[in-house]
Amino acid sequence: MKRILVGIKRVVDYNVRVRVKPDGSGVVTDGVKMSINPFDEIALEEALRIKEKGGAEEVVVATIGPADTQQQLRTGLAMGADRALLVEHAGALEPLDVAKVFLKLIEKEQPFLVILGKQAIDDDNNQTGQMLAALWNRPQATFASKLELAGEQAKVTREVDAGLETLEVDLPAVVTTDLRLNEPRYVKLPEIMKAKKKPLETLPLASLGVSPRQRVTPVKYEPPPQRQKGVLVKTPQELVEALKKKGLVA
Amino acid sequence: MSKVLIVAEHDGKSLNPSTAKCVTCARSIPGAEITVAVFAQDAAAVAAQAAKLQNVARVLKVENPANEHALAAVIAPQVVALARDYTHVLGPSTTFGKDLMPRVAALLDTAQVSDIMAVESETRFRRPIYAGNVLVTVDIDAGSKIVGTVRTASFEAAAEGGSATVEAAAVQVELPKHTRFVSVSAAKSDRPDLQTARRVISGGRALGSAENFKMLYSLADKLGAAVGASRAAVDAGYAPNDLQVGQTGKIIAPELYIAIGISGAIQHLTGIKDARTIVAINKDAEAPIFEVADYGLVGDLFQIVPELEKLL
Ligand SMILES: Cc1cc2nc3c(=O)[nH]c(=O)nc-3n(C[C@H](O)[C@H](O)[C@H](O)COP(=O)(O)OP(=O)(O)OC[C@H]3O[C@@H](n4cnc5c(N)ncnc54)[C@H](O)[C@@H]3O)c2cc1C
Ligand SMILES: Nc1ncnc2c1ncn2[C@@H]1O[C@H](COP(=O)(O)O)[C@@H](O)[C@H]1O
């Protein structure tokens, strides 16, 4: 079966202004709104569009996280994924271990394409897709803003600092999404009902034979230095004079 | 003693300024001895530039026709082959380094520290998370190789005046053929580069069209500034993607940043945290951009920008 595997991470919603715990031991996540990482929604949307165009037969969403992460998988199923995999693990997991878990899921599911987000907006690591491609010994096309499949290959346009770069990769491959790849669909109520009947398989982390290891230990969390609020000027003249005085414009 | 290997970023002809910033970061690792590796088809010109950076001890040229374009899958195994002799392997936190370095880390079976903004010891680093709303200090397992990307906005470029030795390094590894470069479309302009410009003028959704956005280019030209954009302006097609500033675009540190018709979402602000002076022009006095602006001007940009152009 031609299958696409999509990674979904549960993260603090992008609208939430996160706060550091007073003792600096972490960030406050209790009672905070959690969502699918925005880049992963884009990843899923892309997989669904490929399937809808006949380029794939099945879209499987997978997450590694606590039992609560079911909510995000259900949202993914409501968007249109066919099946969901929950690799249950309560603690934090470093990108290298996430990649190792995904490698196991790849062995199990044999996808021809894996789509992940380019970065999870909590830890902003931007590592997992590249690490997975390395461990799998397959191509990576990161920061994708366009993805075209043609037989055994994919042509991917990437958002790079210089502009847009196009690569051709042999499949299977790992693609990570950038913001402009697509605009994810909204979930409609009937789909949410239907999604409740779709298969969601739970796998304990240990059953996959991956033993996570802490290589990076956070020792302190702190808020960034705050900028001072400046002054309001009334006219463009006043602005230009102020900038001239500071030597910022000639 | 720490032995630091920096993977140079370049376009085949010139060394990208991000590399000089990695050198400054590497210097803050206690007792660092710094080597820069240039992976290229023909590395001579770039290697010569790297050799001039102060505090670089050695430049390694790794030449191979396969290195013509910086494909992560092709470069990574070669970096790994060199990495044996080093304690730290660093690259810039640009799209080049973000693409490459995690692949290197995974092949070394080690973690990566992304976006290093400060070095506290050989194994302790500070980095931003949650779109820069939180800073975390992390310790890396002593004993394992440390792979990291350097948040370039946090470091000054290393000065020239050095004279490192340049050597060719032979790297014997099999390179994959599964990834092929097709093309790159880079909008060529004579304006300063957004990532290194001293002045930047950015426009947001309020510009309303690609046509209107052009008025920022003429203002920028008057100031010798680079042009940037918010995500909304890029999404709407007013500006190309390489102008996006923010969490998922470019992180910049100009002396002067002028935000025009940009609301100041946290994802945008994280890209300009290190700007020396921020100016905001917005018709909504409540816009969050004013919370961080050194100078704010409330009003209609379509009136203000032409006036500014006349005054400058
Ligand atoms: C995962 C993720 C990543 C993101 N990454 C980035 C990123 O890297 N960079 C980024 O910029 N955004 C990013 N965003 C988007 C961000 O959240 C905001 O949506 C975006 O920055 C808004 O752009 P804007 O300020 O141009 O538009 P708006 O928020 O719509 O603001 C337009 C502003 O223009 C003002 N205005 C309107 N008309 C006029 C006028 N005539 N004269 C003067 N002022 C006027 C309005 O008062 C308003 O404040 C990201 C979002 C997500 C979810
Ligand atoms: N715990 C997780 N579960 C599922 N997918 C994940 C997880 N962590 C990371 N990913 C995927 O990897 C991408 C990049 O994450 P990161 O490397 O942590 O920035 C995310 O956008 C997800 O697609």
Side-chain angles (χ1 to χ4, degrees):
Chain A
M1 177 127 56
K2 279 199 86 177
R3 184 174 290 135
I4 304 178
L5 180 64
V6 174
I8 285 183
K9 188 178 186 192
R10 170 189 169 91
V11 297
V12 172
D13 188 83
Y14 78 96
N15 278 312
V16 174
R17 195 163 262 252
V18 295
R19 268 172 229 296
V20 176
K21 289 182 186 163
D23 64 357
S25 66
V27 299
V28 179
T29 51
D30 287 348
V32 159
K33 184 179 176 205
M34 304 296 284
S35 300
I36 299 181
N37 181 41
F39 291 99
D40 304 350
E41 263 186 330
I42 295 171
L44 176 54
E45 177 65 35
E46 195 65 17
L48 296 174
R49 289 186 191 185
I50 292 168
K51 185 187 162 195
E52 284 158 6
K53 280 189 286 189
E57 290 159 299
E58 191 181 47
V59 174
V60 178
V61 284
T63 193
I64 307 150
D68 286 350
T69 315
Q70 280 205 25
Q71 289 165 19
Q72 280 68 39
L73 287 176
R74 288 288 171 204
T75 307
L77 293 169
M79 273 178 75
D82 298 291
R83 285 194 288 127
L85 301 172
L86 169 59
V87 179
E88 228 181 293
H89 178 71
L93 215 53
E94 294 174 10
L96 184 58
D97 287 321
V98 175
K100 288 180 180 182
V101 171
F102 268 97
L103 189 63
K104 295 291 180 186
L105 297 180
I106 286 169
E107 283 165 16
K108 177 170 156 359
E109 299 288 346
Q110 299 288 319
F112 76 99
L113 181 63
V114 178
I115 314 183
L116 304 182
K118 83 164 175 184
Q119 83 196 60
I121 61 161
D122 47 6
D123 291 331
D124 283 334
N125 272 319
N126 195 334
Q127 299 177 8
T128 307
Q130 298 88 312
M131 288 182 158
L132 174 60
L135 300 177
W136 194 15
N137 200 10
R138 294 303 308 166
Q140 68 188 48
T142 51
F143 327 145
S145 66
K146 192 169 169 203
L147 171 55
E148 295 165 288
L149 298 178
E152 301 297 300
Q153 272 124 38
K155 214 170 174 192
V156 185
T157 303
R158 311 176 52 231
E159 293 204 356
V160 295
D161 290 338
L164 295 169
E165 181 188 73
T166 304
L167 296 182
E168 186 185 71
V169 297
D170 294 339
L171 297 171
V174 178
V175 171
T176 75
T177 61
D178 218 316
L179 294 170
R180 277 167 286 276
L181 183 59
N182 61 50
E183 220 173 290
R185 66 196 64 188
Y186 285 104
V187 180
K188 298 186 208 81
L189 195 60
E191 259 98 51
I192 296 174
M193 302 311 289
K194 257 195 347 215
K196 292 194 173 135
K197 297 202 196 73
K198 288 186 177 174
L200 190 158
E201 188 184 348
T202 302
L203 308 156
L205 182 62
S207 74
L208 293 172
V210 175
S211 23
R213 205 161 75 73
Q214 190 166 37
R215 304 166 188 85
V216 180
T217 310
V219 290
K220 187 172 76 182
Y221 293 81
E222 62 197 312
Q226 292 302 311
R227 286 188 86 99
Q228 295 285 324
K229 192 177 167 154
V231 295
L232 281 183
V233 293
K234 291 205 176 55
T235 62
Q237 286 88 331
E238 219 184 298
L239 177 60
V240 171
E241 275 156 31
L243 295 179
K244 279 190 176 152
K245 216 194 250 162
K246 278 191 104 183
L248 289 165
V249 300
Chain B
M1 197 178 92
S2 303
K3 297 190 74 180
V4 185
L5 179 69
I6 294 173
V7 183
E9 176 171 9
H10 62 87
D11 61 5
K13 295 184 209 79
S14 323
L15 187 66
N16 190 291
S18 63
T19 303
K21 300 188 170 194
C22 289
V23 170
T24 304
C25 173
R27 258 194 77 197
S28 50
I29 299 172
E33 182 192 281
I34 301 171
T35 301
V36 175
V38 179
F39 298 86
Q41 185 171 27
D42 172 359
V46 174
Q49 294 162 45
K52 285 198 197 121
L53 296 175
Q54 277 181 22
N55 295 296
V56 174
R58 195 162 65 131
V59 177
L60 297 176
K61 295 189 293 178
V62 186
E63 298 184 312
N64 189 324
N67 292 345
E68 181 182 0
H69 302 287
L71 300 172
V74 171
I75 310 277
Q78 303 177 69
V79 177
V80 170
L82 294 182
R84 200 183 324 116
D85 303 329
Y86 297 87
T87 54
H88 298 70
V89 186
L90 299 181
S93 191
T94 54
T95 53
F96 162 77
K98 286 177 181 173
D99 187 41
L100 172 64
M101 300 311 288
R103 192 157 181 130
V104 171
L107 293 176
L108 291 168
D109 194 34
T110 193
Q112 172 178 296
V113 192
S114 297
D115 305 314
I116 295 171
M117 58 186 293
V119 176
E120 298 200 346
S121 77
E122 290 97 322
T123 52
R124 181 172 285 193
F125 305 90
R126 193 153 68 241
R127 60 177 299 260
I129 55 175
Y130 289 96
N133 280 313
V134 178
L135 307 181
V136 63
T137 304
V138 296
D139 273 344
I140 314 295
D141 266 4
S144 62
K145 235 178 253 310
I146 295 173
V147 174
T149 60
V150 174
R151 184 177 182 275
T152 51
S154 299
F155 298 92
E156 298 284 333
E160 292 194 350
S163 54
T165 58
V166 178
E167 301 161 28
V171 168
Q172 245 78 23
V173 284
E174 213 187 309
L175 301 180
K177 298 202 165 49
H178 52 48
T179 306
R180 293 168 294 275
F181 174 84
V182 178
S183 63
V184 66
S185 68
K188 267 285 145 239
S189 87
D190 298 331
R191 278 182 203 96
D193 174 52
L194 177 57
Q195 259 157 329
T196 48
R198 292 172 54 218
R199 302 180 183 132
V200 175
I201 294 189
S202 271
R205 194 197 309 272
L207 269 297
S209 70
E211 195 54 42
N212 290 344
F213 202 86
K214 287 192 190 134
M215 63 197 230
L216 300 191
Y217 291 109
S218 48
L219 185 60
D221 289 345
K222 277 226 144 159
L223 283 174
V227 174
S230 72
R231 173 189 173 184
V234 177
D235 281 0
Y238 308 161
N241 67 282
D242 48 299
L243 298 195
Q244 183 174 315
V245 171
Q247 179 187 21
T248 52
K250 288 179 178 153
I251 308 281
I252 57 175
E255 282 167 23
L256 176 63
Y257 186 79
I258 307 186
I260 302 179
I262 291 178
S263 59
I266 49 174
Q267 293 86 4
H268 187 80
L269 297 184
T270 190
I272 56 170
K273 280 215 156 74
D274 297 288
R276 201 86 58 77
T277 299
I278 297 176
V279 173
I281 298 170
N282 195 305
K283 71 173 184 192
D284 173 10
E286 304 294 316
I289 188 80
F290 287 120
E291 296 298 316
V292 299
D294 300 282
Y295 298 101
L297 179 52
V298 180
D300 181 359
L301 75 92
F302 293 104
Q303 283 171 7
I304 294 170
V305 172
E307 282 187 51
L308 281 178
E309 216 188 310
K310 266 187 249 151
L311 291 163
L312 287 164

